Amino acid sequence: MNLKRLNRSVVCLLATAAALSACSSTTVSSPDGKGTVKIEGNGTTYTATTTDGSFTMTAGASAKFPSSFVLPQYPGSTCQMTVDSKMNGKTGAGDSVMLVTSDSIAKVIDHYKSWLESNGWKIDAAVSMDANGMLSASKGPQTATVAAVTTAKESGSETSITLAVQSH
């Protein structure tokens, strides 16, 4: 099974499970019948297990920035969600973290671009606009993506940052 396709599918299933219920356990079969995903959760942490591996999503107040994550937490940000994966016995096959800050997208993208370059990563693409920005970098068998989106709030604006690291 293609890792990127599995990542997207499982993350979508986890997000759906989190949004729809605080169920303790459910099993979902793929349309072709070749695989199943078992989803277990307690309202803030969900784990999906397939024959290829597992993903655990933690959201809300229970989400803590993982100390082993390849990229650093953005200074002053709050961790909103983490997704940890194991594929074919390997950890870190496609991990991600969602953070929130009051800083601008340009400041967020500049921070990660500087950090990545100073830590030996090759910047593959970088885009920063008013309402969103994206940065992609590679180092050896790993690819890192930083995506930032600003949303308006009554008390100003908020920038959501998604950090994703995938090992090939």
Side-chain angles (χ1 to χ4, degrees):
M1 182 177 271
N2 180 306
L3 179 61
K4 285 185 182 180
R5 187 169 149 210
L6 180 63
N7 266 344
R8 281 188 299 244
S9 299
V10 172
V11 169
C12 287
L13 285 170
L14 286 171
T16 301
L20 295 177
S21 71
C23 66
S24 60
S25 180
T26 189
T27 301
V28 179
S29 296
S30 64
D32 63 7
K34 294 182 179 179
T36 60
V37 176
K38 183 176 182 181
I39 302 172
E40 298 178 292
N42 65 9
T44 58
T45 301
Y46 291 87
T47 299
T49 305
T50 71
T51 55
D52 293 324
S54 66
F55 288 76
T56 300
M57 179 189 80
T58 304
S62 298
K64 306 291 182 229
F65 193 88
S67 61
S68 61
F69 199 72
V70 174
L71 302 177
Q73 181 170 358
Y74 186 77
S77 67
T78 303
C79 188
Q80 298 290 306
M81 183 178 76
T82 63
V83 177
D84 302 310
S85 65
K86 277 188 181 173
M87 297 300 295
N88 301 317
K90 297 180 187 175
T91 60
D95 295 341
S96 62
V97 177
M98 181 183 284
L99 308 169
V100 175
T101 182
S102 58
D103 287 349
S104 70
I105 287 173
K107 190 171 181 179
V108 169
I109 296 298
D110 288 346
H111 170 80
Y112 280 106
K113 184 176 182 199
S114 175
W115 186 90
L116 288 161
E117 288 175 332
S118 67
N119 284 278
W121 290 74
K122 176 184 168 258
I123 304 299
D124 299 318
V127 177
S128 184
M129 296 178 272
D130 290 340
N132 57 56
M134 192 277 303
L135 177 64
S136 177
S138 56
K139 181 178 181 181
Q142 294 182 310
T143 301
T145 304
V146 177
V149 177
T150 296
T151 54
K153 297 273 188 185
E154 285 184 26
S155 60
S157 64
E158 178 177 88
T159 300
S160 296
I161 307 164
T162 301
L163 307 175
V165 178
Q166 186 171 18
S167 296
H168 303 284

